[in-house]
Amino acid sequence: MELDEVTISRAILKTQMETMVEYLDLDVAVIGGGPSGITCAALLAEKGLKVGLIEKKLSIGGGMWGGGMMFPRIVVQAAAKRLLDRFGIASTEAEPGYYVAKSVESVSKLTAAACTAGAEFFNLIAVEDVVVKADGRVSGLVINWSPVEMAGLHVDPLTIRCRAVVDATGHDATICHMVAKKGGDLPIRGEGYMWADRAEGNILDHTKEVFPGLFVCGMAANAVGGECRMGPIFGGMLLSGERAAALVAAALRT
Ligand code: 48H
């Protein structure tokens, strides 16, 4: 069979367009493909929910790729090692209670687990606004191609509908800021100093529904909660993604 360029193009357009139309209605939209977002998306998809993960960059993985100061290794404390094991990520105990995993393996295996569970990834798409109607809930997202945002082009966005949104956008807590900026009752206390023990110890308390229909996890949870940062220890990110998935699943069941 002679390969035909136009058939290749049609195959891509047809399948991606079908997926995008299908995902105009979602159970859960997870914004941000860092460690907390991928973990959350994987675990929600495993529960049978229709999950779309939206990532504005080309690559999934967020701040995990870079490890600590570009040494592509992450540290995970004993309390979260079971999540490394759950996703088949190899680790070594470099210091008592401090497990080290490779960044590339960690991102790849989390992402693979999310794909296998049925989460759909939409990269190169940025969330630029949220939908809040008379019921006061976040019930949808306003999206656009990232290159449109980067080039500053005046192009109107499209909108998707979802039953719950997870802000996993990291330090910037982008989605929470959007809600707060439009007058939503969502106080954002801002990220604190480096203090790993405190930041990791408190992150699960900050992982919660912060506005009707909007949950926050990962570094965004600490940024909203006025909590410290922790540097390249990632156990809290995995645990926070797991907690957010449990909270969202419970909320959608009721
Ligand atoms: C679509 C968006 C948008 C948008 C942002 O930063 P991340 O890796 O997030 P976490 O919370 O899962 O992990 C944090 C961790 O990487 C980290 O930075 C740590 C532990 N720091 C500690 C310290 O002390 O510094 O990923 C967030 C993702 C990124 O890939 C963004 O591109 C994406 O969210 N994103 N995607 N639409 N509007 N805003």
Side-chain angles (χ1 to χ4, degrees):
M1 186 183 81
E2 186 182 323
L3 294 173
D4 173 54
E5 296 82 2
V6 173
T7 307
I8 296 168
S9 303
R10 191 166 52 240
I12 289 173
L13 287 178
K14 202 164 65 176
T15 53
Q16 188 61 16
M17 289 301 177
E18 277 170 11
T19 304
M20 290 181 80
V21 170
E22 187 192 335
Y23 277 76
L24 287 175
D25 264 295
L26 288 175
D27 286 323
V28 191
V30 178
I31 321 306
S36 68
I38 316 174
T39 304
C40 183
L43 297 177
L44 284 168
E46 278 182 14
K47 291 176 199 293
L49 291 162
K50 185 175 176 185
V51 181
L53 187 149
I54 301 172
E55 167 54 55
K56 70 177 181 181
K57 295 201 175 140
L58 177 57
S59 61
I60 301 300
M64 212 180 206
W65 288 121
M69 216 179 95
M70 299 206 311
F71 293 94
R73 309 240 165 191
I74 57 160
V75 168
V76 168
Q77 63 275 44
K81 165 138 185 332
R82 66 177 172 79
L83 284 168
L84 292 180
D85 298 340
R86 187 188 199 288
F87 291 106
I89 301 165
S91 62
T92 52
E93 193 174 15
E95 301 277 342
Y98 293 72
Y99 296 87
V100 173
K102 294 176 180 167
S103 300
V104 173
E105 181 180 353
S106 303
V107 173
S108 306
K109 287 193 170 160
L110 284 174
T111 308
C115 292
T116 304
E120 198 64 54
F121 283 79
F122 298 92
N123 61 337
L124 289 170
I125 294 180
V127 174
E128 64 169 55
D129 205 351
V130 295
V131 179
V132 177
K133 295 193 183 176
D135 64 1
R137 295 181 62 77
V138 174
S139 58
L141 294 170
V142 181
I143 58 171
N144 215 329
W145 299 116
S146 301
V148 166
E149 186 185 81
M150 289 162 72
L153 300 176
H154 188 166
V155 177
D156 269 345
L158 294 176
T159 302
I160 62 174
R161 183 165 36 230
C162 47
R163 297 170 66 207
V165 168
V166 180
D167 183 345
T169 59
H171 293 269
D172 293 338
T174 316
I175 311 304
C176 292
H177 275 286
M178 284 172 191
V179 171
K181 198 173 141 200
K182 299 246 160 136
D185 180 16
L186 202 178
I188 298 179
R189 298 182 56 205
E191 186 182 301
Y193 298 112
M194 177 77 85
W195 186 350
D197 189 58
R198 197 192 136 131
E200 290 286 292
N202 290 341
I203 192 166
L204 292 185
D205 291 338
H206 300 298
T207 303
K208 58 186 174 190
E209 188 172 16
V210 285
F211 188 84
L214 174 62
F215 297 75
V216 66
C217 72
M219 201 58 226
N222 275 11
V224 171
E227 191 51 77
C228 293
R229 60 187 297 195
M230 68 293 286
I233 181 161
F234 281 76
M237 298 302 122
L238 306 179
L239 291 167
S240 175
E242 179 186 50
R243 169 66 62 90
L247 294 174
V248 171
L252 295 189
R253 269 198 303 270
T254 56

